[in-house]
Amino acid sequence: MRALLQRIARAPGGRRGKWLVLAAWLIVAVALGPLAGKLGDVEETGPNAFLPHGAESARVNTELEKFRTDTIMPAVVVYTGEGARRAADADRARLARFVAAGEELGGPVPSADGEALMTVVPLDGEDEITDKVDELREIAGANAPPGTDVEVGGPAASLTDGVAVFDSLDATLMIATGLVVAVLLLITYRSPVLWLFPLLSVGFAAVLTQASTYLLARYASLPVDPQSAGVLMVLVFGVGTDYALLLIARYREELHRHEDRHTAMRIALLRSGPAVLASAGTIAVGLACLALADINSSRSLGLVGAVGVVCAFLAMVTVLPALLVLAGRWVFWPFVPRYGTPARKERTVWSRIGSAVARRPRRSWLMSVAVTGVLALSAAGISLGLTQSEMFQDKPESVVAQERISEHYPSGASDPAQIVTRTAAADGVRSAAAGVGGVARVEPGGDRTPDGSLTTLSVVLEDAPDSDAARDTIDGLRDAVHTVDGADALVGGTTAESLDTARAADRDLTTVVPVVLLVVLAVLIGLLRALVAPVLLLATVVLSYLAALGGSNLLFEHVLGHAGMDWSIPLMGFVFLVALGIDYNIFLMHRVREETARLGWARGVLEGLTSTGGVITSAGVVLAATFAVFAGLPLVTMAQLGVLVGIGVLLDTFLVRTVLVPALALDLGRWFWWPGRLFREPPRGGTGDARSAGTPEAVETAARTTS
C-alpha cells in the first residue's frame, strides 16, 4: 500500500509528473465530456425503477408489457362546484382529441353525492405523456363558470408532476451546490484564488463520474434513476471538497518545513494519502453494500454513489496536487506559507478545546454520550411511511385531484388495483376479488394479451390508494386470488407498490446495516492496527446516527410539518452517515496515531486534534451545507435525506470528533490501542498523562515539537 501511495505522490508532486498528470486529465475531460452529458439517456424512469426487485407489484408491471405494443395511461379530470356539469359537458369534445386510438373517453361519471363529475382520458403511453397532460391542464376547465374547480389527476398527471420535480433537480442541485461550496471555500481560505483549485478539480471529477456512470449503465447494467443521478453530483462535490481541504491543509504545513514545493507536496500526499484512501474506500464500499438491498432505487443510489466517490478520490490525489504545485505558493495569498516559519499558532481554539477535554476526559465523554443519547431517544417515536399527497412539500395538482376524488367517490376510483391472471381462471379470480372486504367493485371486462392467455382485471378500492386501509385490502386480495387454482394471479398497482416498498425497506434495513458495520470495522482495524479503538469509533458513529435520526424527526414533525419519514430514509441515512461520519474519525485518528508514536498517548491525541481541528471542521461544514441544499427541494424524500445527513455530519464534526472521541482516547490511554504496537510498546515521546497533557504548557510544548 505504501509503495502505491509513493508512486501516486511522485507523479503529481514531481517536476515533470505534474505536466503529465494535467495532460492526461485534459485528454480525459475532452474525450469523456460528450459522454458526461448523456447520463440522462440511461436513467431508468420505468414503473419498476423505485420498486423492490422481484416484488409482486413489479412482476405485474412486467406482465402488463405483454398486453399491447402501446401502453395506456389514464388522466382523470375532476369537476367540483356549482358549474361542474356545464364545464364537463363543454370540455368533452376538446378532451376527446387526446384519447388514444381504440380507446373511449370515460364519463363524465357523477359522484354518489351529486357534487362532482369525473372524466377519464386514456392517453397513449407512446406519446409524450407530460406534454399531453400539460395541454390537458390548459384546456380542461378553461371556460368553466365561476365557482367551479377543475383539476387533472390520475396516473398520467402523477407521472407528470414527478417528472417536473426531477427535470429541475440536476440543474438546481448543481448551481446551489457549486455556490455553497464556493462561498464556504472563500470563507475557509480567505484567499481570492485558492478556492478555485478545489472547484476546478471537482469539475474534472464530475466529468469522469458522469461519463463513467453512463458507460457502466450502458454496458454493465449499472442501475441509474433520476434520484441517484441527482444525489451523485452533491456527493462528488461534498466528498471531493473534503479531500481537497485535508490535502491542502497538510500541503500548507509541509510548505513551512520544506523550501521546495515539489518535496512538500510529495510528503503531504504520503502522510495524508492513507487517510484519504481509507476514507474513500470506506465510503465507496459502504455505499456499494446497498447493492444487497431489494429496493431498486436504494441499489442505484449505493452503486452510483460508490462510482462518484472513487472518481472524486482519483481527481483529488492527482489533478489537485498537480495544479497546486504548478501554481506555487502564491495561491495561498495573502496568507502565504513561508519556509522556516511556524506552521500554526502555538495556542489555537483546538488546543484550548483539547486541554479542556484532557483535564476531565471521563466527564467529557459521559456528557457527550448523554447529549447524543437524549436526541437518540426521539428516534423511538418516528412515524414511517408517507402517502402520495405527503411526498411533496407543496401539493401538485395531481395530489389535489386525488383529494377531490377521495371526497366524492370511492377513493380508489382514479387508481384501481391491477390483477393479472390466466384467462381460463379469470371468472374465478373476479369472484374471489369481489368478495374481499375493502373492494368497492371489480370493473367489467378486461384486456387480454394478443395470444389470449392472460387477462387483466381492475379492482376499485373503497379507500385512498396510499392509505393503510387500502394496503390491508391488497393483502386480502392477494390471499384471495392466490388460492384460485390455475390462475397464477398477481396483484399490482399503486397501492400494492407502496405495500411492497414498505416491507422491502424493513428487510433491507436488517440485511444491509450489519454488512456496512462489518465493512467499516474492518477498514478501521486495518488503518489503526488495533481493536478497541475501531470498535469505540464505530460505536460513536452509530450513536451519532441515532441522535441525527431523532433530531431530524423533531425537525420534520415540529418545524417542517412533515407527516412522517419516508420508508427509505433510515437505511439510506444510515449508510451515508456511517460512511461519511467515520470519514472524519479516520482523518483525526490517522493523525493521532502518527503523533502518538512521537509524543505519547495523551499528547498525541491533543496534537492530532489540534492539527486536524480546523480542516475537519471546515470539511464537515462544507459537506453538511452541500447536503442541506436538498432541504429546499419540493420532494420530501430528498429534503429529508439532506436534513438527516446534514445534522449527522455536524454532530460528528462538532461533538463526536471534537469531544467524544478524544475524551475516550485520553481516558483509556494505552488501552485505546489494544492489542496493537502502540499498546505493547511505549511511544518514543513517553507515555504522557491526560491531566498533565491538558495543561497549556504541555500543549505548547507539543506544538513546538511538531513545528
Side-chain angles (χ1 to χ4, degrees):
M1 182 62 69
R2 184 169 181 80
L4 173 63
L5 290 172
Q6 287 176 338
R7 285 196 293 271
I8 292 175
R10 198 176 299 123
R15 298 181 184 277
R16 296 179 182 176
K18 62 179 182 288
W19 294 106
L20 295 175
V21 168
L22 289 175
W25 272 100
L26 287 173
I27 293 171
V28 167
V30 171
L32 299 183
L35 297 180
K38 294 184 176 181
L39 184 58
D41 297 345
V42 294
E43 289 179 7
E44 175 58 53
T45 57
N48 290 342
F50 295 90
L51 294 181
H53 180 70
E56 185 168 339
S57 56
R59 290 159 59 197
V60 167
N61 290 331
T62 302
E63 292 295 306
L64 289 175
E65 295 176 2
K66 300 177 181 178
F67 280 77
R68 51 189 301 168
T69 55
D70 58 336
T71 56
I72 299 299
M73 186 168 288
V76 180
V77 186
V78 186
Y79 302 85
T80 55
E82 296 179 0
R85 169 58 68 178
R86 226 176 344 144
D89 290 341
D91 285 346
R92 186 168 180 79
R94 290 194 290 267
L95 298 180
R97 65 185 181 87
F98 291 93
V99 175
E103 300 292 328
E104 295 181 358
L105 193 68
V109 179
S111 61
D113 59 13
E115 296 182 3
L117 290 165
M118 181 172 64
T119 300
V120 180
V121 186
L123 303 178
D124 189 341
E126 298 297 320
D127 293 338
E128 290 293 336
I129 289 292
T130 56
D131 293 341
K132 293 287 186 184
V133 171
D134 288 339
E135 288 186 59
L136 273 174
R137 285 173 169 168
E138 291 179 7
I139 291 172
N143 300 315
T148 304
D149 294 319
V150 182
E151 286 86 24
V152 178
S158 296
L159 174 66
T160 300
D161 291 335
V163 168
V165 170
F166 286 110
D167 274 349
S168 61
L169 183 65
D170 290 346
T172 301
L173 284 178
M174 284 290 287
I175 294 171
T177 303
L179 288 174
V180 166
V181 171
V183 169
L184 290 175
L185 287 176
L186 273 168
I187 294 172
T188 300
Y189 291 131
R190 293 173 292 167
S191 167
V193 179
L194 184 56
W195 66 277
L196 291 169
F197 286 76
L199 279 185
L200 183 58
S201 303
V202 169
F204 279 107
V207 171
L208 180 62
T209 298
Q210 290 189 321
S212 300
T213 305
Y214 168 77
L215 291 172
L216 289 171
R218 187 173 182 85
Y219 300 108
S221 301
L222 177 71
V224 182
D225 60 53
Q227 177 178 279
S228 61
V231 174
L232 177 62
M233 285 300 96
V234 174
L235 185 63
V236 170
F237 264 87
V239 171
T241 305
D242 275 6
Y243 297 158
L245 288 166
L246 184 69
L247 176 62
I248 291 173
R250 195 61 189 253
Y251 177 50
R252 189 201 294 265
E253 281 188 42
E254 300 304 328
L255 284 173
H256 285 277
R257 302 185 182 116
H258 302 278
E259 187 172 6
D260 181 52
R261 65 182 187 273
H262 299 88
T263 302
M265 179 56 75
R266 285 197 296 271
I267 293 175
L269 279 170
L270 281 174
R271 292 186 174 176
S272 62
V276 175
L277 179 60
S279 167
T282 302
I283 298 174
V285 176
L287 290 175
C289 290
L290 282 171
L292 301 174
D294 281 340
I295 299 177
N296 289 330
S297 56
S298 296
R299 294 175 60 245
S300 173
L301 182 59
L303 294 173
V304 168
V307 173
V309 171
V310 171
C311 293
F313 166 77
L314 292 175
M316 292 305 129
V317 297
T318 55
V319 69
L320 177 61
L323 288 170
L324 291 171
V325 171
L326 179 65
R329 295 174 185 261
W330 69 270
V331 298
F332 291 93
W333 184 87
F335 304 99
V336 179
R338 304 296 183 185
Y339 170 62
T341 60
R344 60 178 176 275
K345 297 177 182 178
E346 292 180 351
R347 293 289 288 163
T348 66
V349 63
W350 303 108
S351 64
R352 288 192 288 271
I353 291 173
S355 61
V357 171
R359 281 192 289 270
R360 298 178 182 274
R362 186 163 300 174
R363 177 180 293 183
S364 297
W365 71 256
L366 284 173
M367 290 179 64
S368 301
V369 169
V371 171
T372 50
V374 168
L375 284 174
L377 289 176
S378 301
I382 290 177
S383 173
L384 286 176
L386 297 172
T387 66
Q388 184 67 24
S389 62
E390 296 163 350
M391 291 295 291
F392 298 90
Q393 303 218 60
D394 297 315
K395 289 182 182 179
E397 188 173 334
S398 58
V399 172
V400 177
Q402 178 57 50
E403 290 177 348
R404 296 274 192 272
I405 292 169
S406 298
E407 290 172 9
H408 303 288
Y409 296 87
S411 297
S414 67
D415 196 0
Q418 297 290 325
I419 298 177
V420 177
T421 178
R422 294 196 176 278
T423 302
D427 290 340
V429 171
R430 184 188 303 277
S431 298
V436 174
V439 171
R441 65 179 182 274
V442 181
E443 300 284 12
D447 291 335
R448 292 187 179 185
T449 53
D451 63 4
S453 61
L454 297 176
T455 296
T456 62
L457 300 176
S458 294
V459 181
V460 177
L461 308 182
E462 293 178 352
D463 302 291
D466 49 14
S467 64
D468 290 337
R471 286 190 278 269
D472 291 340
T473 303
I474 291 295
D475 273 333
L477 264 178
R478 285 175 170 172
D479 290 340
V481 302
H482 288 172
T483 60
V484 178
D485 291 336
D488 296 332
L490 300 171
V491 179
T494 302
T495 307
E497 291 171 359
S498 173
L499 177 64
D500 291 340
T501 300
R503 289 177 176 167
D506 287 339
R507 291 196 301 271
D508 289 348
L509 202 59
T510 57
T511 301
V512 176
V513 166
V515 177
V516 172
L517 291 176
L518 288 174
V519 166
V520 172
L521 182 61
V523 172
L524 289 174
I525 290 173
L527 180 71
L528 300 179
R529 305 292 194 271
L531 186 58
V532 171
V535 170
L536 288 177
L537 291 175
L538 193 59
T540 63
V541 172
V542 172
L543 179 62
S544 175
Y545 160 73
L546 293 174
L549 195 65
S552 299
N553 183 54
L554 293 176
L555 277 178
F556 298 153
E557 185 176 348
H558 300 293
V559 178
L560 299 177
H562 296 170
M565 189 178 293
D566 187 70
W567 287 103
S568 63
I569 296 301
L571 176 62
M572 290 195 295
F574 175 84
V575 173
F576 271 97
L577 282 180
V578 169
L580 295 173
I582 211 68
D583 203 27
Y584 301 124
N585 280 327
I586 287 174
F587 292 165
L588 170 65
M589 297 313 297
H590 179 264
R591 187 62 180 265
V592 166
R593 187 174 186 276
E594 178 184 332
E595 300 300 340
T596 297
R598 297 191 312 110
L599 302 174
W601 294 309
R603 289 182 180 175
V605 172
L606 298 183
E607 177 58 25
L609 176 61
T610 304
S611 301
T612 62
V615 63
I616 295 180
T617 299
S618 299
V621 171
V622 168
L623 189 61
T626 53
F627 272 91
V629 171
F630 287 158
L633 296 179
L635 203 61
V636 169
T637 303
M638 300 286 280
Q640 290 185 342
L641 179 62
V643 170
L644 175 59
V645 174
I647 290 176
V649 168
L650 291 177
L651 277 173
D652 276 322
T653 303
F654 289 102
L655 183 61
V656 173
R657 192 268 314 156
T658 304
V659 179
L660 179 55
V661 170
L664 284 170
L666 289 168
D667 195 21
L668 291 174
R670 66 191 290 254
W671 286 96
F672 189 75
W673 302 101
W674 183 87
R677 183 174 60 83
L678 289 178
F679 168 78
R680 299 191 307 270
E681 304 173 10
R684 292 194 301 272
T687 60
D689 173 76
R691 190 176 297 275
S692 63
T695 63
E697 294 79 8
V699 175
E700 290 173 10
T701 300
R704 283 196 298 271
T705 303
T706 303
S707 299

